[in-house]
Amino acid sequence: MDDRVQQSQLSFPPDMVIPPQRYSGEANHAEEAARVFRRCWMFVGFTDDLRNDNDFITADIAGTSVLVQNFDGDLRAYHNVCTHRYSLIHLRPCGNGKPVCPYHGWVFNRDGVPVGIPGNREHFGLDDAAKKRLALRRFEVAVRGRFVFVRLEPAGPGLDEQLGAYGAVLDHLSELFTDRIDEGVLPWSANWKAALESALEVYHVDATHPETFKGYVKKVWICSYEGEHSRGVSQLSDGSARWWDGVSQKMGLPRSDRLESYDHYLIFPNLAIGVSHGALMSVQTYDPVGPDRCELHYRLFLGETSKPQTKGGAARKAVEANVAGFNRTILGEDQRVAEATHKGLKQVQVPAVLGSCEERIAAFHRAWLARMAAE
Ligand code: FES
Ligand SMILES: [Fe+2]
């Protein structure tokens, strides 16, 4: 223990904090993929992109490429890897089209079986039974509201059980925030945990976001917990609240009757949802793409306007550009400190000192450590 800080003074004992060496290294990354990402229900996208027959989305779950596809109204998830010579099948994040491998054109049906094999009789001679043996690996898929989740491991608790009371929160958010105004994927040179942790406290706001988020919220952070998940609530600054009131009224934007401040949820392990003044929803995932890199996938939503004539107008466009620009600026500021922290974590062994203002990070660490210790 670092003798600058006696153990007895700390809110969170060091054995409950993820050791720095667990933020890097291929072995840790592989173990985490197996114990956390394969076993949890992972958020992969919205039903908005899966409304029509043959609509699909793809996602990477800690190194496993997954496709979720609408087959005649039935959502099914498969390994997005062709069983011929292992090309990825769908190459785009979303779209419409049957699962057809781009390499040699094998066509897969709703059961994942390659039913269309060009030149089969001549080159392969596969009968129906042999084709079935070449079916794509199927994964569990479940939906809550408009949020789509996939679990790679075949056995485990259901999605509703994993979400607990936060399932109803996803229902509520799904009903309200239907209008996606921005989306993007940002590559960060940081372990996903170091990246996510910057979203779990407001202690960093003054130093990291002096010109942006500092003026947006008041720094009081009321935390609560639901199983492995957590919530942090901060009041919006008076200026931000006034701005949102004006915008909501002018643009006819609906507001949540339950979420009125800056309400931030973490759905374990890596789905973060922030709601501003009940009027704007930001949905972020921190997806590991290696031990030292992650992708931050962000989406912003407003509610459906009651003044459709404002949509597409200059004032509405200015609001959308303002909100999207503000979000990206803040993410850039968080990226800077997450990447700096990742570099630092690789040079130390002593667990970080967490203060009482960082209790959601401690809860995230407890959940992560328990998952990693589970058989
Ligand atoms: S690799 Fe997919 S059809 Fe050949
Ligand atoms: Fe931040």
Side-chain angles (χ1 to χ4, degrees):
M1 186 63 210
D2 186 335
D3 61 8
R4 288 168 308 147
V5 185
Q6 292 301 317
Q7 193 164 330
S8 60
Q9 292 177 287
L10 291 177
S11 307
F12 307 103
D15 63 345
M16 294 304 290
V17 177
I18 301 175
Q21 51 274 28
R22 298 292 250 166
Y23 287 75
S24 55
E26 288 294 342
N28 281 316
H29 177 61
E31 191 183 339
E32 200 170 52
R35 291 177 187 267
V36 178
F37 287 88
R38 290 190 61 83
R39 292 178 181 177
C40 288
W41 284 100
M42 300 300 303
F43 169 69
V44 291
F46 288 94
T47 53
D48 315 23
D49 296 317
L50 292 165
R51 283 197 191 111
N52 303 309
D53 188 27
N54 281 322
D55 277 354
F56 66 83
I57 58 175
T58 60
D60 189 284
I61 302 179
T64 299
S65 181
V66 172
L67 70 86
V68 180
Q69 180 125 5
N70 179 329
F71 294 96
D72 272 333
D74 196 13
L75 293 189
R76 295 184 173 200
Y78 288 105
H79 197 199
N80 186 32
V81 173
C82 176
T83 47
H84 174 220
R85 275 170 45 212
Y86 309 128
S87 167
L88 296 186
I89 299 169
H90 287 313
L91 305 183
R92 289 178 295 151
C94 64
N96 182 276
K98 287 182 189 302
V100 179
C101 179
Y103 199 170
H104 310 96
W106 284 26
V107 182
F108 296 86
N109 71 6
R110 58 185 290 127
D111 296 315
V113 175
V115 288
I117 298 181
N120 179 34
R121 212 173 314 149
E122 189 186 350
H123 304 300
F124 297 94
L126 299 172
D127 60 13
D128 285 353
K131 286 180 187 170
K132 275 189 187 146
R133 283 195 294 275
L134 287 170
L136 302 173
R137 194 144 43 98
R138 192 164 171 187
F139 301 124
E140 300 292 315
V141 60
V143 172
R144 188 74 198 233
R146 294 176 11 252
F147 291 74
V148 181
F149 291 80
V150 165
R151 192 187 61 211
L152 299 182
E153 283 291 319
L159 174 63
D160 291 345
E161 193 180 329
Q162 182 178 308
L163 293 173
Y166 286 3
V169 175
L170 296 190
D171 293 340
H172 174 63
L173 298 174
S174 296
E175 277 170 27
L176 192 64
F177 295 109
T178 52
D179 198 349
R180 188 171 0 184
I181 60 164
D182 196 22
E183 175 161 11
V185 177
L186 305 169
W188 286 16
S189 297
N191 182 271
W192 72 278
K193 301 189 291 301
L196 168 68
E197 285 166 11
S198 71
L200 298 181
E201 41 91 352
V202 289
Y203 177 52
H204 74 291
V205 166
D206 285 2
T208 303
H209 308 293
E211 308 292 333
T212 51
F213 211 61
K214 183 180 175 187
Y216 193 67
V217 289
K218 296 176 179 166
K219 256 184 23 183
V220 183
W221 193 229
I222 310 293
C223 303
S224 53
Y225 301 92
E226 173 67 17
E228 296 171 307
H229 321 301
S230 66
R231 177 186 183 190
V233 181
S234 180
Q235 295 298 313
L236 281 192
S237 68
D238 298 342
S240 317
R242 266 198 307 276
W243 188 84
W244 274 113
D245 280 336
V247 163
S248 304
Q249 215 171 21
K250 202 163 151 205
M251 300 290 141
L253 296 175
R255 283 190 52 203
S256 165
D257 52 0
R258 293 174 227 176
L259 308 172
E260 302 190 325
S261 309
Y262 176 73
D263 294 77
H264 185 272
Y265 293 90
L266 169 68
I267 310 273
F268 187 85
N270 71 338
L271 167 61
I273 303 173
V275 179
S276 288
H277 210 48
L280 171 79
M281 174 172 77
S282 135
V283 175
Q284 295 173 183
T285 54
Y286 298 78
D287 302 315
V289 289
D292 300 314
R293 287 183 304 127
C294 67
E295 283 179 351
L296 192 141
H297 190 161
Y298 68 90
R299 303 158 171 95
L300 290 178
F301 290 86
L302 297 171
E304 192 57 46
T305 177
S306 61
K307 299 179 180 172
Q309 68 278 14
T310 60
K311 234 175 149 177
R316 167 75 186 237
K317 278 189 184 152
V319 166
E320 290 183 12
N322 181 330
V323 168
F326 185 70
N327 184 52
R328 269 179 261 137
T329 302
I330 288 174
L331 289 177
E333 292 165 352
D334 283 325
Q335 176 180 5
R336 183 167 157 265
V337 290
E339 292 183 348
T341 301
H342 184 72
K343 284 186 183 149
L345 281 163
K346 294 180 88 161
Q347 302 174 33
V348 296
Q349 277 87 43
V350 178
V353 177
L354 294 181
S356 57
C357 55
E358 291 158 322
E359 61 170 272
R360 283 180 78 203
I361 295 180
F364 168 66
H365 285 200
R366 266 197 305 281
W368 186 92
L369 289 164
R371 285 269 179 182
M372 293 295 275
E375 269 320 301

